Amino acid sequence: MRRKFVAGNWKMHGSLAANEALLRALLAGLGNGYAAEVCVCAPFPYLAQCASLLAGSRIAWGAQNASQHDHGAYTGEVSAAMLREFGCRHVIVGHSERRALYGETDGLVAEKVSAVLAQSLVPILCVGERLEERESGVAEQVIGHQLDAVLSHCGIGAFAGLVVAYEPVWAIGTGRTATPEQAQAVHAFIRGRIAAHDAAIAQALVIQYGGSVKPGNAAQLFAQPDIDGGLIGGASLVAEDFIEIVRAAA
Ligand code: PGA
């Protein structure tokens, strides 16, 4: 049985005061009454704050990006080794906002996956199609290419150490969620693509759904056979909503 995994993607939101209130509310509200694995992915400057508030709890913390390089003259970049020093367990890689706004290509995303794995951290590899790609019937082709870039750069073994997040770009921050059936179909496609290389790795691969997951739709999404939890944006900033979503992943 695959574990359910719910991660919050705070994006560029938060402050010392707001994060402290949110994390204390999560710790108090979740208690021990949930089965899923939980992580919050915070902006870099707040990782030390997450470490100090969450150490010893069941809530892990992670980052939203990492450099493909180990160290060097890369002004403004942050390496996976640095993230490990701050206790991160997960790193979101290839989020559609980074692909669209910062020009991250399938090839660069694959290099980042490799850099994160090299530090024994768990990449949350984001894949997903844009609206025009879905409407023109090439969603699976696009997602296939995104996966193949990682397969060819890192090898199938990488998929034993990472999590995939399927995030249809048209569902992110729009309030327009994929239906459980639409999401399930793509999740099954992703698992099948990996199974063509290694059936056991595919069977164990955790595939999150992301894109306007809310307390009202989480349980139905998470009940699908190939949906193993969620990557949560907006709702991860509201303690009661995130708690409800985590509880829905029982
Ligand atoms: P959303 O974001 O839940 O606000 O749609 C999801 C994401 O971008 O990871």
Side-chain angles (χ1 to χ4, degrees), residues 1-2 191 194-195 198-206 225-226 228:
M1 255 281 271
R2 287 183 297 275
R191 201 176 303 287
I194 302 307
D198 188 309
I201 288 177
Q203 196 48 42
L205 178 65
V206 170
D226 288 294
D228 308 312

Side-chain angles (χ1 to χ4, degrees), residues 9 11 95 97 167 171-174 210-214 231-235:
N9 174 10
K11 309 195 180 186
H95 189 279
E97 286 152 16
E167 298 206 307
I172 295 178
T174 58
S212 298
V213 177
K214 305 285 176 220
L231 181 57
I232 319 300

